[in-house]
Amino acid sequence: MPAKRRCQPASVPVLKQSGNECFKNGQYGEAASFYTQAVTLLQKSGTNSPEELSVLLSNRAACFLKEGNCTDCVKDCTASLELVPFGVKPLLRRAAAYEALERYRLAYVDYKTVLQLDCTIKAAHDGTNRMTQALTEQDGPSWREKLPPIPTISLSDRERLAEAGAKAQGDRISTAQQNGTTAKVDRVPSAEAVKRAHALKEEGNAFVKKGEHKAAVEKYTESIELNPKEVTTYTNRALCHLSLKKYQEAKKDSAEALKLDPGNVKALYRRAQAHKELKDYKACVADLNALLKTEPKNVTALKLLHDVRKIQK
């Protein structure tokens, strides 16, 4: 008689892949089961792999979210973020779960945290806008005063995330080369570039405090060349251009900031200032109205709007 084959115990990567396949096919319950098995196996193995466990928990949270189990989704995302802070996927999933549970303040904080990490993520912008509207209706114009604190992301965390992004980009490029494809992959600044860009921006800020706006522009420009995805560097340089009466340049920098973060209050205000000086009052009013939808009690914006409307009469 032929010898019976022994069933090999499933490994964590195999269970994770099985979960991924089930998720792609819309089998969310089965996917969650595979991820649970992988989590249990990983924990029993005693392997110190917080990154891997964080991903598994985040993946299972996605299954719970799809099935409408928002409470367990929040639990898994929170556990995932405790292992690896500031993960974009668990933050987005937890935000969506909070939103479904009508816990709008917590959802807003998570969406805004995502935008600190990557201001190009449309889902986070859309979520922030929905939460702004919901909280305005719920708490009135002073809704921001009732928010929990929004976490500040340290430079070391930004560097770690930049390294992870660069590694992921390298993996995507390698896969594309192996497959013979030529898909465009956006450049991700290296951790060293992010660190140097931050230092240059701080040097620019120091020049602004001294009133040396030309020198500040040079530092901000160097910073942008290293990290073109930092919104505040554009808005800071726009401020300098306004001080130097270079209104077209201020308008351009504000527009670049708004491409990265469409609701950025400083960018809207500085572009409105540039529009006023360029005598494009209609565009100025449009930017101020957009700003006031987010911050209806913004005193400086209300004053500028009043001044422009007086000119228009």
Side-chain angles (χ1 to χ4, degrees):
M1 290 179 64
K4 290 183 179 179
R5 290 184 180 177
R6 291 185 180 179
C7 294
Q8 294 294 323
S11 65
V12 170
V14 169
L15 289 166
K16 179 183 173 186
Q17 183 59 35
S18 298
N20 293 349
E21 291 299 325
C22 286
F23 189 90
K24 288 177 186 176
N25 294 327
Q27 299 168 301
Y28 305 122
E30 291 87 340
S33 177
F34 279 118
Y35 293 137
T36 298
Q37 292 176 60
V39 167
T40 302
L41 185 60
L42 189 61
Q43 290 173 332
K44 283 183 177 179
S45 71
T47 305
N48 184 20
S49 181
E51 292 83 5
E52 192 169 6
L53 183 55
S54 176
V55 169
L56 289 169
L57 290 168
S58 177
N59 287 1
R60 188 171 67 179
C63 300
F64 290 145
L65 186 63
K66 288 287 187 181
E67 292 192 314
N69 184 355
C70 295
T71 300
D72 282 339
C73 175
V74 168
K75 287 180 182 176
D76 269 1
C77 288
T78 301
S80 174
L81 290 163
E82 286 172 355
L83 291 163
V84 180
F86 302 119
V88 168
K89 287 183 179 180
L91 279 168
L92 278 174
R93 288 163 185 165
R94 190 172 69 176
Y98 279 143
E99 184 176 351
L101 293 167
E102 298 185 1
R103 299 174 71 179
Y104 300 134
R105 294 170 193 160
L106 293 172
Y108 180 87
V109 168
D110 277 351
Y111 283 130
K112 288 295 285 185
T113 303
V114 170
L115 290 175
Q116 287 187 75
L117 296 162
D118 186 345
C119 58
T120 66
I121 296 177
K122 187 176 184 297
H125 283 295
D126 292 343
T128 300
N129 291 337
R130 288 193 305 272
M131 294 308 94
T132 299
Q133 183 176 350
L135 287 167
T136 302
E137 292 172 1
Q138 176 181 289
D139 299 330
S142 61
W143 63 271
R144 289 179 184 274
E145 297 170 10
K146 301 177 182 179
L147 288 174
I150 296 172
T152 301
I153 302 170
S154 68
L155 180 58
S156 61
D157 280 319
R158 288 181 184 274
E159 290 173 6
R160 174 178 60 79
L161 293 162
E163 284 178 357
K167 181 180 183 300
Q169 180 189 13
D171 292 343
R172 290 197 301 273
I173 292 171
S174 177
T175 301
Q177 289 172 342
Q178 289 171 9
N179 294 338
T181 60
T182 55
K184 181 182 177 181
V185 180
D186 291 338
R187 179 174 70 86
V188 177
S190 67
E192 185 59 36
V194 170
K195 186 175 182 178
R196 179 61 183 149
H198 179 80
L200 286 164
K201 186 179 78 168
E202 290 300 313
E203 290 179 32
N205 294 347
F207 279 123
V208 169
K209 289 176 183 177
K210 296 175 185 176
E212 299 177 31
H213 295 103
K214 284 186 179 180
V217 166
E218 291 177 6
K219 292 298 180 182
Y220 292 141
T221 300
E222 290 180 55
S223 178
I224 287 169
E225 287 173 358
L226 290 169
N227 182 12
K229 292 193 174 185
E230 180 60 46
V231 176
T232 55
T233 315
Y234 288 105
T235 56
N236 289 1
R237 192 169 68 175
L239 175 65
C240 294
H241 287 316
L242 286 168
S243 297
L244 295 167
K245 301 187 187 304
K246 295 184 176 182
Y247 303 119
Q248 288 290 356
E249 288 88 342
K251 186 172 81 169
K252 182 180 176 182
D253 270 352
S254 300
E256 287 298 321
L258 289 165
K259 285 180 186 176
L260 295 168
D261 181 3
N264 188 280
V265 168
K266 286 184 179 179
L268 285 167
Y269 182 72
R270 284 168 189 167
R271 189 168 69 176
Q273 289 178 293
H275 284 313
K276 176 179 178 287
E277 297 300 330
L278 294 167
K279 301 189 185 330
D280 189 347
Y281 302 123
K282 185 177 179 180
C284 176
V285 169
D287 277 345
L288 291 171
N289 285 335
L291 186 162
L292 290 166
K293 283 182 181 178
T294 302
E295 292 190 4
K297 290 189 174 182
N298 188 305
V299 176
T300 53
L302 287 168
K303 184 180 183 304
L304 182 58
L305 183 62
H306 175 73
D307 293 345
V308 172
R309 282 180 172 159
K310 280 178 67 176
I311 294 170
Q312 287 180 305
K313 287 181 181 178

